[in-house]
Amino acid sequence: VQLVESGGGLVQAGGSLRLSCSASGIILRANNMAWYRQAPGKQRELVARITIPGNAIYADSVKGRFTISRDNAKNTVDLQMNSLKPEDTAVYFCNRAVVPFGYWGQGTQVTVSS
């Protein structure tokens, strides 16, 4: 069982990135999934989640800028991030929403420069 996040990088404020989460041993479409992030010295926080039917819910800090989506055929969950801000800098992880699986991927680093 494995979760793999990709797509992070260094971007200037106002830029965009698209993160992708793939999984082996887990059928993502059978789970409410989420993207979390953890900045240095801070607790991990849930920034966006998508229900099994495809309804999306966002943290206030990213609402209107981030879009979570799933591709059931590819067994992936993506996070489109627009209008990035320096405060979005963090390691981003995907996992089951609210009650994560008992394992985490390595995450993908997003760094937004001002």
Side-chain angles (χ1 to χ4, degrees), residues 18-100:
R18 187 175 183 87
L19 308 183
S20 186
C21 170
S22 61
S24 58
I26 308 169
I27 301 175
L28 297 184
R29 66 179 179 271
N31 293 277
N32 297 317
M33 294 299 297
W35 279 94
Y36 300 78
R37 68 185 180 189
Q38 187 166 20
K42 294 188 177 181
Q43 289 190 333
R44 191 171 295 171
E45 63 172 337
L46 192 157
V47 296
R49 55 182 162 133
I50 186 165
T51 65
I52 294 172
N55 298 312
I57 303 167
Y58 301 94
D60 287 344
S61 59
V62 307
K63 199 173 295 182
R65 300 187 297 120
F66 290 11
T67 302
I68 188 171
S69 61
R70 58 165 85 233
D71 186 327
N72 291 335
K74 295 181 179 179
N75 200 34
T76 60
V77 176
D78 292 347
L79 185 69
Q80 176 67 41
M81 306 187 297
N82 298 327
S83 302
L84 283 161
K85 304 176 180 180
E87 52 262 45
D88 295 318
T89 295
V91 180
Y92 284 71
F93 303 86
C94 69
N95 211 312
R96 187 168 57 187
V98 183
V99 183

